[in-house]
Short mmCIF file of all heavy atoms in Angstrom, two decimals:
data_model
loop_
_atom_site.label_atom_id
_atom_site.label_comp_id
_atom_site.label_asym_id
_atom_site.label_seq_id
_atom_site.Cartn_x
_atom_site.Cartn_y
_atom_site.Cartn_z
N ALA A 1 100.17 91.31 104.71
CA ALA A 1 101.28 91.10 105.65
C ALA A 1 101.82 92.43 106.15
O ALA A 1 102.06 92.60 107.36
CB ALA A 1 102.39 90.29 104.97
N ASN A 2 101.98 93.39 105.27
CA ASN A 2 102.46 94.71 105.69
C ASN A 2 101.42 95.46 106.50
O ASN A 2 101.76 96.21 107.42
CB ASN A 2 102.92 95.52 104.48
CG ASN A 2 104.28 95.10 104.03
OD1 ASN A 2 105.27 95.39 104.68
ND2 ASN A 2 104.35 94.37 102.93
N LEU A 3 100.17 95.25 106.19
CA LEU A 3 99.10 95.85 106.98
C LEU A 3 99.14 95.31 108.41
O LEU A 3 98.99 96.06 109.37
CB LEU A 3 97.75 95.55 106.32
CG LEU A 3 96.54 96.23 106.91
CD1 LEU A 3 96.63 97.74 106.76
CD2 LEU A 3 95.28 95.71 106.25
N TYR A 4 99.36 94.02 108.54
CA TYR A 4 99.47 93.42 109.87
C TYR A 4 100.70 93.95 110.61
O TYR A 4 100.65 94.19 111.81
CB TYR A 4 99.52 91.89 109.78
CG TYR A 4 98.15 91.27 109.89
CD1 TYR A 4 97.23 91.37 108.87
CD2 TYR A 4 97.77 90.60 111.05
CE1 TYR A 4 95.97 90.81 108.97
CE2 TYR A 4 96.52 90.03 111.16
CZ TYR A 4 95.62 90.15 110.12
OH TYR A 4 94.37 89.60 110.24
N GLU A 5 101.80 94.12 109.90
CA GLU A 5 103.01 94.67 110.52
C GLU A 5 102.76 96.09 111.03
O GLU A 5 103.31 96.48 112.06
CB GLU A 5 104.17 94.71 109.52
CG GLU A 5 104.85 93.38 109.32
CD GLU A 5 106.10 93.51 108.48
OE1 GLU A 5 106.87 94.48 108.66
OE2 GLU A 5 106.30 92.64 107.62
N ALA A 6 101.93 96.84 110.34
CA ALA A 6 101.63 98.22 110.74
C ALA A 6 101.01 98.26 112.13
O ALA A 6 101.16 99.25 112.86
CB ALA A 6 100.71 98.88 109.72
N LYS A 7 100.33 97.19 112.50
CA LYS A 7 99.70 97.11 113.82
C LYS A 7 100.72 97.30 114.94
O LYS A 7 100.39 97.82 116.00
CB LYS A 7 99.06 95.71 113.97
CG LYS A 7 97.67 95.69 114.45
CD LYS A 7 96.98 94.36 114.24
CE LYS A 7 97.47 93.21 115.04
NZ LYS A 7 96.58 92.04 115.00
N TYR A 8 101.94 96.88 114.72
CA TYR A 8 102.99 96.94 115.73
C TYR A 8 104.09 97.93 115.35
O TYR A 8 105.24 97.75 115.74
CB TYR A 8 103.56 95.54 115.97
CG TYR A 8 102.50 94.60 116.49
CD1 TYR A 8 101.89 93.69 115.64
CD2 TYR A 8 102.06 94.68 117.80
CE1 TYR A 8 100.88 92.85 116.10
CE2 TYR A 8 101.05 93.85 118.27
CZ TYR A 8 100.48 92.94 117.41
OH TYR A 8 99.47 92.12 117.87
N ALA A 9 103.71 98.95 114.62
CA ALA A 9 104.68 99.96 114.20
C ALA A 9 105.30 100.64 115.42
O ALA A 9 104.66 100.79 116.46
CB ALA A 9 103.99 101.00 113.32
N GLN A 10 106.55 101.02 115.27
CA GLN A 10 107.28 101.64 116.38
C GLN A 10 107.01 103.14 116.49
O GLN A 10 107.35 103.74 117.51
CB GLN A 10 108.78 101.38 116.21
CG GLN A 10 109.10 99.90 116.30
CD GLN A 10 110.55 99.60 116.00
OE1 GLN A 10 111.27 100.43 115.45
NE2 GLN A 10 110.99 98.41 116.35
N SER A 11 106.43 103.71 115.46
CA SER A 11 106.13 105.15 115.46
C SER A 11 105.05 105.42 114.42
O SER A 11 104.72 104.55 113.62
CB SER A 11 107.39 105.95 115.12
OG SER A 11 107.79 105.66 113.78
N ARG A 12 104.53 106.64 114.42
CA ARG A 12 103.55 107.04 113.40
C ARG A 12 104.18 106.95 112.01
O ARG A 12 103.56 106.48 111.06
CB ARG A 12 103.04 108.45 113.70
CG ARG A 12 102.09 109.03 112.67
CD ARG A 12 100.79 108.32 112.56
NE ARG A 12 100.01 108.47 113.77
CZ ARG A 12 98.81 107.98 113.94
NH1 ARG A 12 98.22 107.32 112.96
NH2 ARG A 12 98.17 108.10 115.06
N ALA A 13 105.44 107.38 111.90
CA ALA A 13 106.13 107.32 110.60
C ALA A 13 106.29 105.87 110.13
O ALA A 13 106.11 105.57 108.94
CB ALA A 13 107.48 108.00 110.70
N ASP A 14 106.61 104.97 111.04
CA ASP A 14 106.74 103.55 110.71
C ASP A 14 105.39 102.98 110.27
O ASP A 14 105.31 102.21 109.31
CB ASP A 14 107.29 102.78 111.92
CG ASP A 14 107.62 101.33 111.61
OD1 ASP A 14 108.05 101.03 110.48
OD2 ASP A 14 107.46 100.49 112.52
N PHE A 15 104.33 103.37 110.98
CA PHE A 15 102.97 102.95 110.64
C PHE A 15 102.62 103.38 109.21
O PHE A 15 102.17 102.56 108.39
CB PHE A 15 101.98 103.56 111.65
CG PHE A 15 100.55 103.26 111.35
CD1 PHE A 15 99.99 102.02 111.63
CD2 PHE A 15 99.73 104.24 110.78
CE1 PHE A 15 98.65 101.76 111.36
CE2 PHE A 15 98.40 103.99 110.50
CZ PHE A 15 97.86 102.75 110.79
N ILE A 16 102.86 104.63 108.91
CA ILE A 16 102.57 105.16 107.57
C ILE A 16 103.41 104.44 106.52
O ILE A 16 102.92 104.07 105.45
CB ILE A 16 102.79 106.69 107.52
CG1 ILE A 16 101.73 107.39 108.38
CG2 ILE A 16 102.77 107.21 106.08
CD1 ILE A 16 102.00 108.85 108.67
N ASN A 17 104.68 104.19 106.83
CA ASN A 17 105.57 103.48 105.91
C ASN A 17 105.04 102.09 105.58
O ASN A 17 105.04 101.68 104.42
CB ASN A 17 106.98 103.39 106.50
CG ASN A 17 107.95 102.74 105.55
OD1 ASN A 17 108.09 103.16 104.41
ND2 ASN A 17 108.61 101.70 106.02
N LYS A 18 104.56 101.37 106.59
CA LYS A 18 104.02 100.01 106.35
C LYS A 18 102.79 100.08 105.46
O LYS A 18 102.60 99.24 104.58
CB LYS A 18 103.67 99.32 107.67
CG LYS A 18 104.84 99.07 108.58
CD LYS A 18 105.80 98.07 108.03
CE LYS A 18 106.84 97.73 109.08
NZ LYS A 18 108.17 97.63 108.54
N LEU A 19 101.93 101.08 105.71
CA LEU A 19 100.74 101.24 104.86
C LEU A 19 101.15 101.57 103.43
O LEU A 19 100.54 101.07 102.47
CB LEU A 19 99.83 102.33 105.41
CG LEU A 19 99.14 102.06 106.74
CD1 LEU A 19 98.24 103.25 107.10
CD2 LEU A 19 98.33 100.79 106.71
N GLU A 20 102.17 102.40 103.28
CA GLU A 20 102.63 102.76 101.93
C GLU A 20 103.25 101.56 101.21
O GLU A 20 103.10 101.42 100.00
CB GLU A 20 103.60 103.93 102.00
CG GLU A 20 102.88 105.23 102.34
CD GLU A 20 103.79 106.43 102.51
OE1 GLU A 20 104.98 106.25 102.85
OE2 GLU A 20 103.29 107.56 102.33
N ILE A 21 103.92 100.68 101.96
CA ILE A 21 104.45 99.44 101.35
C ILE A 21 103.28 98.57 100.89
O ILE A 21 103.31 98.00 99.79
CB ILE A 21 105.38 98.69 102.32
CG1 ILE A 21 106.65 99.50 102.56
CG2 ILE A 21 105.72 97.30 101.78
CD1 ILE A 21 107.53 98.98 103.69
N SER A 22 102.23 98.47 101.71
CA SER A 22 101.03 97.72 101.31
C SER A 22 100.47 98.28 100.01
O SER A 22 100.08 97.53 99.11
CB SER A 22 99.96 97.79 102.39
OG SER A 22 100.29 96.98 103.47
N LEU A 23 100.43 99.61 99.91
CA LEU A 23 99.91 100.27 98.71
C LEU A 23 100.78 99.94 97.49
O LEU A 23 100.25 99.67 96.40
CB LEU A 23 99.83 101.78 98.94
CG LEU A 23 99.23 102.61 97.82
CD1 LEU A 23 97.80 102.19 97.51
CD2 LEU A 23 99.28 104.09 98.21
N LYS A 24 102.09 99.93 97.67
CA LYS A 24 102.99 99.57 96.56
C LYS A 24 102.77 98.12 96.12
O LYS A 24 102.78 97.82 94.93
CB LYS A 24 104.45 99.77 96.97
CG LYS A 24 104.85 101.23 97.06
CD LYS A 24 106.29 101.36 97.51
CE LYS A 24 106.68 102.82 97.63
NZ LYS A 24 108.08 102.98 98.05
N GLU A 25 102.59 97.23 97.09
CA GLU A 25 102.34 95.82 96.76
C GLU A 25 101.01 95.68 96.02
O GLU A 25 100.86 94.85 95.13
CB GLU A 25 102.35 94.96 98.02
CG GLU A 25 103.69 94.89 98.71
CD GLU A 25 104.76 94.15 97.92
OE1 GLU A 25 104.44 93.36 97.01
OE2 GLU A 25 105.96 94.38 98.21
N CYS A 26 100.05 96.51 96.39
CA CYS A 26 98.75 96.51 95.72
C CYS A 26 98.91 96.92 94.25
O CYS A 26 98.32 96.33 93.35
CB CYS A 26 97.82 97.48 96.47
SG CYS A 26 96.10 97.30 96.08
N SER A 27 99.73 97.93 94.03
CA SER A 27 100.01 98.39 92.67
C SER A 27 100.75 97.32 91.87
O SER A 27 100.43 97.07 90.70
CB SER A 27 100.84 99.67 92.73
OG SER A 27 101.11 100.14 91.45
N GLU A 28 101.72 96.66 92.50
CA GLU A 28 102.43 95.58 91.83
C GLU A 28 101.49 94.45 91.45
O GLU A 28 101.58 93.88 90.36
CB GLU A 28 103.56 95.04 92.71
CG GLU A 28 104.33 93.93 92.03
CD GLU A 28 105.44 93.34 92.88
OE1 GLU A 28 105.92 93.98 93.83
OE2 GLU A 28 105.83 92.20 92.57
N THR A 29 100.55 94.14 92.33
CA THR A 29 99.58 93.08 92.06
C THR A 29 98.73 93.44 90.84
O THR A 29 98.42 92.57 90.02
CB THR A 29 98.70 92.84 93.30
OG1 THR A 29 99.54 92.45 94.40
CG2 THR A 29 97.66 91.76 93.05
N GLU A 30 98.40 94.72 90.71
CA GLU A 30 97.64 95.17 89.54
C GLU A 30 98.41 94.85 88.26
O GLU A 30 97.84 94.38 87.27
CB GLU A 30 97.37 96.67 89.64
CG GLU A 30 96.59 97.23 88.47
CD GLU A 30 96.34 98.73 88.59
OE1 GLU A 30 97.05 99.41 89.36
OE2 GLU A 30 95.42 99.21 87.91
N TYR A 31 99.71 95.08 88.28
CA TYR A 31 100.56 94.80 87.13
C TYR A 31 100.53 93.31 86.75
O TYR A 31 100.32 92.95 85.59
CB TYR A 31 101.99 95.25 87.44
CG TYR A 31 102.99 94.88 86.38
CD1 TYR A 31 103.07 95.60 85.19
CD2 TYR A 31 103.87 93.80 86.55
CE1 TYR A 31 103.99 95.26 84.21
CE2 TYR A 31 104.79 93.47 85.58
CZ TYR A 31 104.85 94.19 84.41
OH TYR A 31 105.76 93.86 83.43
N TRP A 32 100.71 92.44 87.76
CA TRP A 32 100.73 90.99 87.49
C TRP A 32 99.36 90.50 87.01
O TRP A 32 99.28 89.63 86.14
CB TRP A 32 101.19 90.20 88.70
CG TRP A 32 102.61 90.52 89.09
CD1 TRP A 32 103.05 91.07 90.25
CD2 TRP A 32 103.78 90.31 88.29
NE1 TRP A 32 104.42 91.23 90.22
CE2 TRP A 32 104.90 90.76 89.02
CE3 TRP A 32 104.00 89.78 87.02
CZ2 TRP A 32 106.19 90.71 88.54
CZ3 TRP A 32 105.30 89.72 86.53
CH2 TRP A 32 106.38 90.18 87.29
N LEU A 33 98.29 91.07 87.58
CA LEU A 33 96.94 90.71 87.11
C LEU A 33 96.80 91.03 85.62
O LEU A 33 96.29 90.22 84.84
CB LEU A 33 95.87 91.46 87.90
CG LEU A 33 95.52 90.96 89.28
CD1 LEU A 33 94.61 91.96 90.00
CD2 LEU A 33 94.86 89.59 89.22
#
């Protein structure tokens, strides 16, 4: 979902932020697994 949001980022910084949120969610998923 955050990766898809990055598609419509308002700036390069916003794009990077969305990717970093995706990465954090990926890490959280590792914990739950």
Side-chain angles (χ1 to χ4, degrees):
N2 281 287
L3 187 64
Y4 268 72
E5 281 188 42
K7 229 165 68 167
Y8 298 101
Q10 296 174 344
S11 65
R12 176 65 66 178
D14 187 34
F15 176 77
I16 292 167
N17 184 54
K18 297 293 188 221
L19 293 182
E20 288 177 334
I21 293 170
S22 286
L23 184 60
K24 287 178 181 181
E25 295 293 340
C26 195
S27 180
E28 181 181 339
T29 300
E30 180 180 19
Y31 174 77
W32 297 117
L33 282 171

